[in-house]
Amino acid sequence: MIVTATNIADVLLIEPKVFGDGRGFFFESFNSVAFAQATGLDVAFVQDNHSKSAKNVLRGLHYQLPPKAQGKLVRVVQGEVFDVAVDIRKASRTFGNWVGEVLSAQNMRQLWIPPGFAHGFLTLSDTAEFLYKTTDYYSPEHERSLLWNDPALGIHWPLDGEPILAAKDRAASSFASVEPFA
């Protein structure tokens, strides 16, 4: 696998080694030993999630507060999304910065998003199926949402019309009132 630091060094773009021929392809989507060797991180995933979204669905920006903060390893198995991570670690030199990457079934890229980041994605294709591993369980009491279009963040979403949002994402908090990580 090839691991590349993004503009925020702790968010990593991961490109698996894919073996393909006329029959199709094969790759290890996750191998704990290979992940640790390539990233220098020792993480334990406890939950896998799978979502399907229609074009222009924007999910996020979500995060969980400690002690239930989640790291996420995300990928797309059908379609294409624009995936975003926002640094909400108050002591970080990149606090308030964001990175965005196109993840697709075609490019097979993955993104490692450590705890302390709000995360979201916009579906670019007609539909997309999105898989992600988390380092802690979903905890509604600890979940928070950051406003996807807050001008203070300046995220350049590649929108094709108005996004389709869940009620919690429409009512999300501004960056100024976000509950950041210490």
Side-chain angles (χ1 to χ4, degrees), residues 5-13 41 59-66 68-74 83-101 111-121 132-135 142-147 153 155 175 178-182:
T6 64
N7 292 336
I8 300 176
D10 296 331
V11 178
L12 303 175
L13 184 64
L41 301 170
R59 296 182 186 268
L61 299 158
H62 305 145
Y63 65 100
Q64 288 187 182
L65 294 171
K68 299 305 253 175
Q70 293 179 317
K72 297 177 181 177
L73 181 62
V74 304
D83 198 75
V84 172
V86 178
D87 190 347
I88 57 170
R89 302 169 300 172
K90 194 166 192 151
S92 170
R93 65 178 183 76
T94 55
F95 178 67
N97 292 357
W98 63 274
V99 295
E101 295 286 342
L111 202 60
W112 162 250
I113 303 161
F117 285 78
H119 170 256
F121 66 90
Y132 57 106
K133 298 179 164 309
T134 63
T135 59
H142 296 90
E143 183 184 33
R144 302 292 185 271
S145 293
L146 176 59
L147 192 61
L153 297 174
I155 298 172
F175 183 68
V178 75
E179 295 177 63
F181 283 61

Side-chain angles (χ1 to χ4, degrees), residues 19-65:
F19 302 92
D21 59 27
R23 299 170 299 153
F25 68 85
F26 170 84
F27 71 94
E28 288 184 340
S29 60
F30 180 75
N31 175 309
S32 183
V33 171
F35 184 84
Q37 288 174 343
T39 65
L41 301 170
D42 183 22
V43 299
F45 294 110
V46 299
Q47 183 173 320
D48 280 2
N49 299 313
H50 186 151
S51 71
K52 183 175 183 178
S53 300
K55 186 176 181 82
N56 290 332
V57 167
L58 195 152
R59 296 182 186 268
L61 299 158
H62 305 145
Y63 65 100
Q64 288 187 182
L65 294 171

Side-chain angles (χ1 to χ4, degrees), residues 94-167:
T94 55
F95 178 67
N97 292 357
W98 63 274
V99 295
E101 295 286 342
V102 173
L103 305 179
S104 71
Q106 197 72 12
N107 69 25
M108 299 180 197
R109 292 177 171 169
Q110 300 178 40
L111 202 60
W112 162 250
I113 303 161
F117 285 78
H119 170 256
F121 66 90
L122 171 69
T123 304
L124 302 175
S125 50
D126 288 339
T127 61
E129 291 194 39
F130 190 84
L131 301 180
Y132 57 106
K133 298 179 164 309
T134 63
T135 59
D136 208 333
Y137 299 101
Y138 174 66
S139 176
E141 318 75 75
H142 296 90
E143 183 184 33
R144 302 292 185 271
S145 293
L146 176 59
L147 192 61
W148 67 276
N149 63 348
D150 190 317
L153 297 174
I155 298 172
H156 304 292
W157 297 97
L159 286 164
D160 181 17
E162 285 298 310
I164 302 166
L165 303 167

